[in-house]
Amino acid sequence: MKTPLLLSSGALDPVGSAARSPVIIAFLVFIGLCLLWVLAVASQDEHPERLCTADRSLSPVFNGFALAGEYVTVVTLFTASGAIALFGYDGIASAVDSVIALGVLLLLARRIRDSGCHTPGGLFSLRVSGQGPRTAAAVVTLVITIPLLIVQLRAAGISAALLIGMSSDAAQVTCTVLMGCLVACFAAVADLRGTSFLQVVKVPITLLTLAVISLLALRRFSWSPGDLLSAAVDRSAAPDGYLSRGLWAHTAGLGPLNTLGDHMVVILGMAMMPHLILRVAASRSGRAARRATSIAVGLTGAFYVLLITVGFAAAAVVGGEAIGAVDANGQAAPILLASGVLDHGATARVVLITAVACVAFLTVLTAVTSVTFAAAVSLTHDVLTRTGRPLTDTGEVRVLRVGVAVLCLAGVSLSVSVHRYPVEFLVTFSLSVAATCVFPVLIYSFFWPAFDRRGLLWSVYGGLLLCVVLTFFSPTVSGTEYALWPDVAFDWYPFHTPGLVSVPAAFLLGWLGSRRSSAEAGRSTRRLHTTV
C-alpha cells in the first residue's frame, strides 16, 4: 500500500472551520490548567531521593493507576489504533504484546523494589562494584530515551497540527516545537509525585474518551459488533487479508522468525524501560509493587481492548483507504474517527474532538516527562554525582532539573531535524536495546550469584553493539519502501528487529564473561599455591 507519509495532505481538516475555534480555546484552557496543576503540586523538596521516588510512599492502587498511565502514550494511542485500522490482525498482535510485557514486569517487580534501587545503574551494581556498571547503565538509558523522545514529540506535533486543521509540514514542525517547549517547562519543575497525579488522572479520562468514541461508532451499526467488524473488513485496504497475518509491510514476507523476534523485543523491552523501573521502585514495599503491577495489568488490558475497538471502528467508519491517504502508519485514525462519528455542526462533536485533543496532550505531557525524568535521574544519580567533586543535595536536584530540560530540548531539535523521515523504527530500536541490555543483566543479577563485572560489561556493551549494527543493516533502514533510505539496499540482516539475535547473544556474553573471570581466578589461585 503506497501512501504519503506523515499527514502530508495539506488540505486535510477533520475538525472543520466552524468547530476549530472552540476546540482550540478549550484545548488551550486545558493546557493552562495542567501547567497550573503542575506548579501547584511541584515539590520544593531539595532531597534527591524523595524527589525521584516520592519517598517510596505510593500506595498500590495509586501507583497501579500511575503505572498503567505509563503505558498510555501518544505512540500507543495513535500508532497502535492506526495499525489496527490499517493492518487488522498484525496491529492486534502488537497490542497484545504490550499487556504481556506488564506480566514480565510483574514477575520482577517485587525484587526490583526490595533491592532498594531506583535506577538501572543501581540494579546493575547489585553484584558488581565500581563505576563501570553505572556508566554502562547510563549509556543504555540515554540510548533508549533519545529515540523515544524523537518519535513521541514528532507524533505530538503531527496530531496537534491535525487537530487545528493545519496539517502542512510547517504547521507540524511549529506544533512539535511548541509542544516540546511546553513539555520541557513542565518536566523541569515536576517530580515523581506530581507526574503520578497526572498519570492517575489520565487513565480514566483516556478510557472514558475511547469508550465514548467506541459506543458512538457502534451506534452507527445498530449496536452490532459483528456488523462493525464486517464493515471494517469490507472498507479496509485489503479485505481478503485484513484478519490474517502478513498485511503489515514490516512483517510480510519475512517469515515466522521475524514475528518471533518482534514479539520478544516488544514484550521484554516494554517491561525493562527505565521509567517503569523508577515507577516500581516508588512503591511502599515489594508486595505493594507487585500489587500495583497487577492493577496496572487490568487497566492496561482495558485500554488495549478499547484501542482495538477504536481501530476497527476507524476502519469501518472512515475506511482504510482514507486513513492510509493521510498517513501510511494510520496515526490519524482516532482523530478521523472522532470527527466522523457525529454530524458536523453538533456541539457534541466539538466536545468529543476537544476531549481527544486533551487526551493527546496529556499523553504527550506525561509520557515525555516520565521518560526524560527517568533518564535525567539515571544520568545524575549514577554518573554526575559519582565523578568529580561531590554534589550537595541541592546541587544534585539543580543538576537533575537542568538535565531534564536539556534532554527535552535535544529531543525537540532532533524531532524537527528528522520530521520528514520515516523514523518509526526508532521505537523498536529503543525496545530492542532495553530487551537486550537490561533484561539479561537483571535476570543474572537476581538469579545467578556468579555473575560479575566482566560478564555485565560484555553483556551490556556487546548487546548494544549488536543492536546498533543489526538495526542499521535491517530492512527498516534500507532496501524497503518503508525504510529510512528506501532507494539504497544494504539490508543483509533479514529481520525487522535485532532481538532474535541480540537477546540470546547478550545472555551468552554475560555467561561467557563471568565464566572467564571464574577461570582466571581459578588459575591465579593454582599459581599461588604452586609458588607457595
Side-chain angles (χ1 to χ4, degrees), residues 302-386:
F303 168 69
Y304 278 103
V305 167
L306 288 171
L307 211 58
I308 291 169
T309 305
V310 167
F312 283 135
V317 175
V318 182
E321 293 290 348
I323 295 171
V326 175
D327 173 29
N329 296 302
Q331 292 184 54
I335 300 172
L336 295 175
L337 178 61
S339 175
V341 291
L342 293 171
D343 296 332
H344 282 257
T347 303
R349 179 174 176 272
V350 176
V351 173
L352 185 61
I353 295 174
T354 303
V356 173
C358 294
V359 167
F361 176 71
L362 262 182
T363 56
V364 175
L365 190 67
T366 52
V368 174
T369 298
S370 292
V371 170
T372 53
F373 187 76
V377 169
S378 178
L379 188 63
T380 303
H381 183 75
D382 294 330
V383 178
L384 298 180
T385 61
R386 299 174 186 272

Coordinates of all heavy atoms in Angstrom, one line a residue, residues 302-386:
A302 N -7.7 -3.2 29.7 CA -8.9 -2.5 29.3 C -8.6 -1.4 28.3 O -9.4 -1.2 27.3 CB -9.6 -1.9 30.5
F303 N -7.5 -0.7 28.4 CA -7.1 0.3 27.5 C -6.9 -0.3 26.1 O -7.4 0.2 25.1 CB -5.8 1.0 28.0 CG -5.1 1.8 27.0 CD1 -5.7 3.0 26.5 CD2 -3.9 1.4 26.4 CE1 -5.1 3.8 25.6 CE2 -3.3 2.2 25.5 CZ -3.8 3.4 25.1
Y304 N -6.2 -1.4 26.0 CA -5.9 -2.0 24.7 C -7.2 -2.6 24.1 O -7.3 -2.7 22.9 CB -4.8 -3.0 24.8 CG -3.4 -2.4 24.8 CD1 -2.7 -2.2 25.9 CD2 -2.9 -1.9 23.6 CE1 -1.5 -1.5 25.9 CE2 -1.7 -1.2 23.5 CZ -1.0 -1.1 24.7 OH 0.2 -0.4 24.6
V305 N -8.1 -3.1 24.9 CA -9.4 -3.6 24.3 C -10.1 -2.5 23.7 O -10.6 -2.6 22.5 CB -10.2 -4.3 25.4 CG1 -11.7 -4.5 25.0 CG2 -9.6 -5.6 25.9
L306 N -10.2 -1.3 24.3 CA -10.8 -0.1 23.7 C -10.0 0.3 22.5 O -10.6 0.8 21.5 CB -10.9 1.0 24.8 CG -11.9 0.7 25.9 CD1 -11.8 1.8 27.0 CD2 -13.4 0.8 25.3
L307 N -8.7 0.3 22.6 CA -7.9 0.7 21.5 C -8.2 -0.2 20.2 O -8.2 0.3 19.1 CB -6.4 0.7 21.9 CG -5.5 1.7 21.2 CD1 -6.0 3.1 21.5 CD2 -4.1 1.5 21.7
I308 N -8.3 -1.5 20.5 CA -8.6 -2.4 19.4 C -10.0 -2.1 18.8 O -10.1 -2.0 17.5 CB -8.5 -3.9 19.8 CG1 -7.1 -4.2 20.2 CG2 -9.1 -4.8 18.8 CD1 -6.9 -5.6 20.9
T309 N -10.9 -1.8 19.7 CA -12.3 -1.4 19.2 C -12.2 -0.1 18.4 O -12.9 0.0 17.3 CB -13.2 -1.2 20.4 OG1 -13.2 -2.4 21.2 CG2 -14.6 -1.0 19.9
V310 N -11.5 0.9 18.8 CA -11.4 2.1 18.1 C -10.7 1.9 16.7 O -11.1 2.5 15.7 CB -10.6 3.1 18.9 CG1 -10.1 4.3 18.1 CG2 -11.4 3.6 20.1
G311 N -9.7 1.0 16.7 CA -9.1 0.7 15.4 C -10.0 0.1 14.4 O -10.1 0.5 13.2
F312 N -10.8 -0.9 14.8 CA -11.8 -1.5 13.9 C -12.9 -0.5 13.6 O -13.3 -0.4 12.4 CB -12.4 -2.7 14.6 CG -11.6 -3.9 14.6 CD1 -11.5 -4.7 15.7 CD2 -10.9 -4.3 13.4 CE1 -10.7 -5.9 15.7 CE2 -10.1 -5.5 13.4 CZ -10.0 -6.2 14.6
A313 N -13.3 0.3 14.5 CA -14.3 1.3 14.3 C -13.8 2.4 13.3 O -14.6 2.8 12.4 CB -14.7 2.0 15.6
A314 N -12.5 2.8 13.4 CA -12.0 3.7 12.4 C -12.0 3.1 11.0 O -12.3 3.8 10.0 CB -10.6 4.1 12.8
A315 N -11.6 1.9 10.9 CA -11.7 1.2 9.6 C -13.1 1.2 9.0 O -13.3 1.3 7.8 CB -11.1 -0.2 9.7
A316 N -14.1 0.9 9.9 CA -15.5 0.8 9.5 C -16.1 2.1 9.1 O -16.8 2.2 8.1 CB -16.3 0.1 10.6
V317 N -15.8 3.1 9.9 CA -16.5 4.4 9.7 C -15.7 5.3 8.7 O -16.3 5.9 7.8 CB -16.6 5.2 11.1 CG1 -17.1 6.6 10.8 CG2 -17.5 4.4 12.0
V318 N -14.4 5.4 8.8 CA -13.6 6.2 7.9 C -13.2 5.5 6.7 O -13.2 6.0 5.6 CB -12.4 6.8 8.7 CG1 -11.6 7.7 7.8 CG2 -12.9 7.5 10.0
G319 N -12.7 4.2 6.9 CA -12.2 3.5 5.7 C -10.7 3.4 5.7 O -10.1 4.4 5.9
G320 N -10.2 2.3 5.4 CA -8.7 2.1 5.4 C -8.0 3.0 4.3 O -7.0 3.5 4.6
E321 N -8.6 3.1 3.2 CA -8.0 4.0 2.1 C -7.9 5.4 2.6 O -6.9 6.1 2.3 CB -8.8 3.9 0.8 CG -8.8 2.5 0.2 CD -7.4 2.2 -0.4 OE1 -6.6 3.1 -0.5 OE2 -7.2 1.0 -0.8
A322 N -9.0 5.9 3.2 CA -9.0 7.3 3.6 C -8.0 7.6 4.7 O -7.3 8.6 4.8 CB -10.4 7.7 4.1
I323 N -7.8 6.6 5.7 CA -6.9 6.7 6.7 C -5.4 6.6 6.2 O -4.6 7.4 6.5 CB -7.1 5.6 7.8 CG1 -8.4 5.8 8.5 CG2 -6.0 5.6 8.8 CD1 -8.8 4.6 9.4
G324 N -5.2 5.7 5.3 CA -3.9 5.5 4.7 C -3.5 6.6 3.8 O -2.3 6.9 3.7
A325 N -4.5 7.4 3.2 CA -4.2 8.5 2.4 C -3.6 9.7 3.2 O -3.0 10.6 2.7 CB -5.4 9.0 1.6
V326 N -3.9 9.7 4.5 CA -3.4 10.7 5.4 C -2.0 10.4 5.9 O -1.1 11.2 6.0 CB -4.4 10.9 6.5 CG1 -3.9 11.9 7.5 CG2 -5.7 11.4 6.0
D327 N -1.9 9.1 6.3 CA -0.7 8.7 7.0 C -0.5 7.2 6.7 O -1.4 6.4 7.0 CB -0.7 9.0 8.5 CG 0.5 8.4 9.2 OD1 1.5 8.3 8.6 OD2 0.3 8.1 10.4
A328 N 0.7 6.8 6.2 CA 0.9 5.4 5.9 C 0.9 4.5 7.1 O 0.7 3.3 7.0 CB 2.3 5.2 5.2
N329 N 1.0 5.1 8.3 CA 1.0 4.3 9.6 C -0.3 4.4 10.3 O -0.5 3.9 11.4 CB 2.2 4.7 10.5 CG 3.5 4.4 9.9 OD1 3.8 3.2 9.5 ND2 4.3 5.4 9.7
G330 N -1.2 5.2 9.8 CA -2.6 5.3 10.4 C -2.7 6.2 11.7 O -3.6 6.0 12.4
Q331 N -1.7 7.0 11.9 CA -1.7 7.8 13.2 C -2.9 8.7 13.3 O -3.2 9.1 14.4 CB -0.4 8.6 13.3 CG 0.9 7.8 13.4 CD 2.1 8.6 13.6 OE1 2.1 9.5 14.5 NE2 3.1 8.4 12.8
A332 N -3.5 9.1 12.2 CA -4.7 10.0 12.3 C -6.0 9.3 12.6 O -7.0 9.9 12.7 CB -4.8 10.7 11.0
A333 N -6.0 7.9 12.7 CA -7.2 7.1 12.8 C -8.1 7.6 13.9 O -9.3 7.8 13.7 CB -6.9 5.7 12.9
P334 N -7.7 7.8 15.2 CA -8.6 8.2 16.3 C -9.2 9.6 16.0 O -10.4 9.8 16.3 CB -7.7 8.2 17.5 CG -6.5 7.3 17.2 CD -6.3 7.5 15.7
I335 N -8.4 10.5 15.5 CA -8.9 11.8 15.2 C -9.9 11.8 14.1 O -11.0 12.4 14.2 CB -7.7 12.8 14.9 CG1 -6.7 12.8 16.0 CG2 -8.3 14.2 14.5 CD1 -5.5 13.6 15.7
L336 N -9.7 11.1 13.0 CA -10.6 11.0 12.0 C -11.9 10.3 12.4 O -13.0 10.7 12.0 CB -10.0 10.2 10.8 CG -8.8 10.9 10.1 CD1 -8.2 9.9 9.1 CD2 -9.2 12.2 9.4
L337 N -11.8 9.3 13.3 CA -13.0 8.6 13.8 C -13.8 9.5 14.7 O -15.0 9.6 14.6 CB -12.6 7.4 14.6 CG -13.7 6.6 15.3 CD1 -14.7 6.1 14.2 CD2 -13.1 5.4 16.1
A338 N -13.1 10.3 15.6 CA -13.8 11.2 16.5 C -14.6 12.3 15.6 O -15.6 12.8 16.0 CB -12.9 11.9 17.4
S339 N -14.0 12.7 14.5 CA -14.6 13.7 13.6 C -15.7 13.1 12.8 O -16.6 13.8 12.4 CB -13.5 14.2 12.7 OG -14.1 15.1 11.7
G340 N -15.7 11.8 12.6 CA -16.7 11.2 11.7 C -17.9 10.5 12.4 O -18.9 10.2 11.7
V341 N -17.9 10.3 13.7 CA -19.0 9.5 14.3 C -20.2 10.4 14.7 O -21.3 9.9 15.0 CB -18.5 8.9 15.6 CG1 -17.6 7.7 15.3 CG2 -17.9 9.8 16.6
L342 N -20.0 11.8 14.6 CA -21.1 12.7 14.9 C -21.2 13.7 13.7 O -20.3 13.9 13.0 CB -20.9 13.5 16.2 CG -20.9 12.6 17.5 CD1 -20.4 13.4 18.7 CD2 -22.3 12.1 17.7
D343 N -22.4 14.3 13.6 CA -22.7 15.2 12.5 C -21.9 16.5 12.7 O -21.7 17.0 13.8 CB -24.2 15.5 12.4 CG -25.0 14.2 12.1 OD1 -24.4 13.3 11.4 OD2 -26.2 14.2 12.5
H344 N -21.5 17.1 11.5 CA -20.9 18.4 11.6 C -21.8 19.4 12.1 O -23.0 19.4 11.8 CB -20.4 18.8 10.2 CG -19.1 18.1 9.7 ND1 -17.9 18.7 9.8 CD2 -18.9 16.8 9.3 CE1 -17.0 17.9 9.4 NE2 -17.6 16.7 9.1
G345 N -21.3 20.3 12.9 CA -22.2 21.4 13.5 C -22.8 21.0 14.8 O -23.3 21.9 15.5
A346 N -22.7 19.7 15.2 CA -23.2 19.3 16.5 C -22.2 19.7 17.6 O -21.0 19.6 17.5 CB -23.4 17.8 16.5
T347 N -22.8 20.2 18.7 CA -22.0 20.6 19.9 C -21.2 19.4 20.4 O -20.1 19.5 20.9 CB -22.9 21.2 21.0 OG1 -23.6 22.3 20.4 CG2 -22.0 21.7 22.1
A348 N -21.9 18.3 20.4 CA -21.3 17.1 21.0 C -20.0 16.7 20.2 O -19.0 16.2 20.8 CB -22.2 15.9 21.0
R349 N -20.0 17.0 18.9 CA -18.8 16.7 18.1 C -17.7 17.6 18.5 O -16.5 17.1 18.6 CB -19.2 17.0 16.6 CG -18.0 16.7 15.7 CD -18.5 16.9 14.2 NE -17.3 16.7 13.3 CZ -16.5 17.7 12.9 NH1 -16.8 18.9 13.3 NH2 -15.5 17.5 12.1
V350 N -17.9 18.9 18.8 CA -16.9 19.8 19.3 C -16.3 19.3 20.6 O -15.1 19.2 20.8 CB -17.4 21.2 19.4 CG1 -16.3 22.1 20.0 CG2 -17.9 21.7 18.1
V351 N -17.2 18.8 21.5 CA -16.8 18.3 22.8 C -15.9 17.1 22.6 O -14.9 16.9 23.3 CB -18.0 18.0 23.7 CG1 -17.6 17.3 25.0 CG2 -18.8 19.3 24.0
L352 N -16.3 16.2 21.7 CA -15.6 14.9 21.5 C -14.2 15.2 21.0 O -13.2 14.6 21.4 CB -16.4 14.0 20.6 CG -15.8 12.6 20.4 CD1 -15.7 11.8 21.7 CD2 -16.7 11.8 19.4
I353 N -14.1 16.0 20.0 CA -12.8 16.3 19.4 C -11.9 17.0 20.4 O -10.7 16.8 20.5 CB -13.0 17.2 18.1 CG1 -13.7 16.4 17.0 CG2 -11.6 17.7 17.6 CD1 -14.1 17.2 15.8
T354 N -12.5 17.9 21.2 CA -11.7 18.6 22.3 C -11.2 17.6 23.3 O -10.1 17.7 23.7 CB -12.6 19.6 23.0 OG1 -13.1 20.6 22.0 CG2 -11.8 20.3 24.0
A355 N -12.0 16.6 23.6 CA -11.6 15.5 24.5 C -10.4 14.8 24.0 O -9.5 14.4 24.7 CB -12.8 14.6 24.8
V356 N -10.5 14.4 22.7 CA -9.4 13.7 22.0 C -8.1 14.6 22.1 O -7.0 14.1 22.3 CB -9.7 13.4 20.6 CG1 -8.5 12.8 19.8 CG2 -10.9 12.3 20.6
A357 N -8.3 15.9 21.8 CA -7.1 16.8 21.8 C -6.5 16.9 23.2 O -5.3 16.8 23.4 CB -7.6 18.2 21.4
C358 N -7.4 16.9 24.3 CA -6.9 17.0 25.6 C -6.2 15.7 26.0 O -5.1 15.7 26.7 CB -8.0 17.2 26.6 SG -8.7 18.9 26.4
V359 N -6.7 14.5 25.6 CA -6.1 13.2 25.9 C -4.7 13.2 25.2 O -3.8 12.7 25.8 CB -7.0 12.1 25.4 CG1 -6.2 10.8 25.4 CG2 -8.2 12.0 26.4
A360 N -4.7 13.6 23.9 CA -3.4 13.6 23.2 C -2.4 14.5 23.9 O -1.2 14.0 24.1 CB -3.6 14.2 21.8
F361 N -2.8 15.6 24.4 CA -1.8 16.5 25.1 C -1.4 15.8 26.4 O -0.2 15.9 26.8 CB -2.4 17.9 25.4 CG -1.5 18.7 26.2 CD1 -0.4 19.3 25.7 CD2 -1.8 19.0 27.6 CE1 0.5 20.1 26.4 CE2 -1.0 19.8 28.3 CZ 0.2 20.4 27.8
L362 N -2.3 15.2 27.2 CA -2.0 14.6 28.4 C -1.0 13.4 28.2 O 0.0 13.2 29.0 CB -3.2 14.0 29.1 CG -3.8 14.9 30.2 CD1 -5.1 14.1 30.8 CD2 -2.8 15.2 31.3
T363 N -1.2 12.7 27.1 CA -0.3 11.5 26.8 C 1.1 12.0 26.5 O 2.1 11.4 26.9 CB -0.9 10.7 25.7 OG1 -1.1 11.5 24.5 CG2 -2.2 10.0 26.1
V364 N 1.2 13.1 25.7 CA 2.5 13.7 25.4 C 3.2 14.2 26.7 O 4.3 13.9 27.0 CB 2.4 14.8 24.4 CG1 3.7 15.4 24.1 CG2 1.8 14.3 23.1
L365 N 2.4 15.0 27.4 CA 2.9 15.6 28.6 C 3.5 14.6 29.6 O 4.6 14.7 30.1 CB 1.8 16.4 29.3 CG 2.2 17.4 30.4 CD1 3.1 18.5 29.9 CD2 0.9 17.9 31.1
T366 N 2.7 13.6 29.9 CA 3.1 12.6 30.9 C 4.2 11.6 30.4 O 5.1 11.3 31.1 CB 1.9 11.8 31.4 OG1 1.2 11.3 30.3 CG2 1.0 12.7 32.2
A367 N 4.0 11.2 29.1 CA 4.9 10.2 28.6 C 6.3 10.8 28.4 O 7.3 10.2 28.9 CB 4.4 9.6 27.3
V368 N 6.4 11.9 27.8 CA 7.7 12.5 27.6 C 8.4 12.9 28.9 O 9.6 12.8 29.1 CB 7.6 13.8 26.6 CG1 8.9 14.5 26.5 CG2 7.1 13.3 25.3
T369 N 7.6 13.5 29.8 CA 8.1 13.8 31.1 C 8.7 12.6 31.9 O 9.8 12.6 32.5 CB 7.1 14.5 32.0 OG1 6.7 15.7 31.3 CG2 7.6 14.9 33.4
S370 N 7.9 11.5 31.9 CA 8.4 10.3 32.6 C 9.7 9.8 32.0 O 10.6 9.4 32.7 CB 7.3 9.2 32.5 OG 6.2 9.6 33.2
V371 N 9.8 9.7 30.7 CA 11.0 9.2 30.0 C 12.2 10.1 30.3 O 13.3 9.6 30.7 CB 10.7 9.1 28.5 CG1 12.0 8.8 27.8 CG2 9.7 8.0 28.2
T372 N 12.0 11.4 30.1 CA 13.2 12.3 30.4 C 13.5 12.4 31.8 O 14.7 12.5 32.2 CB 12.8 13.7 29.9 OG1 11.6 14.2 30.4 CG2 12.7 13.8 28.4
F373 N 12.5 12.4 32.7 CA 12.8 12.4 34.1 C 13.6 11.2 34.6 O 14.6 11.3 35.3 CB 11.5 12.5 34.9 CG 11.7 12.7 36.4 CD1 12.0 14.0 36.9 CD2 11.5 11.7 37.3 CE1 12.2 14.2 38.2 CE2 11.7 11.9 38.7 CZ 12.0 13.2 39.1
A374 N 13.2 10.0 34.1 CA 14.0 8.8 34.5 C 15.4 8.8 33.9 O 16.4 8.4 34.6 CB 13.2 7.6 34.0
A375 N 15.6 9.3 32.7 CA 16.9 9.4 32.1 C 17.8 10.4 32.9 O 19.0 10.1 33.1 CB 16.8 9.8 30.6
A376 N 17.2 11.6 33.2 CA 18.0 12.6 34.0 C 18.3 12.0 35.4 O 19.4 12.3 35.9 CB 17.2 13.8 34.1
V377 N 17.4 11.3 36.0 CA 17.7 10.7 37.3 C 18.9 9.7 37.2 O 19.8 9.7 38.0 CB 16.5 10.0 37.9 CG1 16.8 9.1 39.1 CG2 15.4 11.0 38.3
S378 N 18.8 8.9 36.2 CA 19.9 7.9 36.0 C 21.2 8.6 35.7 O 22.3 8.2 36.3 CB 19.5 7.0 34.8 OG 20.6 6.0 34.5
L379 N 21.2 9.6 34.8 CA 22.5 10.3 34.5 C 23.1 11.0 35.7 O 24.3 10.9 36.0 CB 22.2 11.2 33.4 CG 23.4 11.9 32.7 CD1 24.4 10.9 32.1 CD2 23.0 13.0 31.7
T380 N 22.2 11.6 36.5 CA 22.6 12.4 37.6 C 23.1 11.5 38.8 O 24.2 11.6 39.3 CB 21.5 13.3 38.1 OG1 21.1 14.2 37.1 CG2 22.0 14.2 39.3
H381 N 22.2 10.5 39.1 CA 22.5 9.6 40.3 C 23.6 8.7 40.0 O 24.4 8.4 40.9 CB 21.2 8.9 40.6 CG 21.3 8.0 41.8 ND1 21.3 8.5 43.1 CD2 21.5 6.6 41.9 CE1 21.4 7.5 43.9 NE2 21.5 6.4 43.3
D382 N 23.8 8.2 38.8 CA 24.7 7.1 38.5 C 26.1 7.6 38.0 O 27.1 6.9 38.0 CB 24.2 6.1 37.5 CG 23.0 5.3 38.1 OD1 23.0 5.1 39.3 OD2 22.1 4.9 37.4
V383 N 26.1 8.8 37.4 CA 27.3 9.3 36.8 C 27.8 10.7 37.4 O 28.9 10.8 38.0 CB 27.2 9.5 35.3 CG1 28.4 10.0 34.7 CG2 26.8 8.1 34.6
L384 N 27.0 11.7 37.3 CA 27.4 13.0 37.6 C 27.7 13.2 39.1 O 28.6 14.0 39.5 CB 26.4 14.1 37.2 CG 26.1 14.1 35.7 CD1 25.0 15.1 35.4 CD2 27.4 14.4 34.9
T385 N 27.0 12.5 40.0 CA 27.2 12.7 41.4 C 28.4 11.8 41.9 O 28.8 11.9 43.1 CB 26.0 12.3 42.2 OG1 25.6 11.0 42.0 CG2 24.8 13.2 41.9
R386 N 28.9 10.9 41.0 CA 29.9 10.0 41.4 C 31.3 10.2 40.8 O 32.2 9.5 40.9 CB 29.5 8.5 41.1 CG 28.2 8.2 41.9 CD 27.7 6.8 41.5 NE 26.4 6.6 42.2 CZ 26.2 6.0 43.4 NH1 27.3 5.7 44.1 NH2 25.1 5.9 43.9

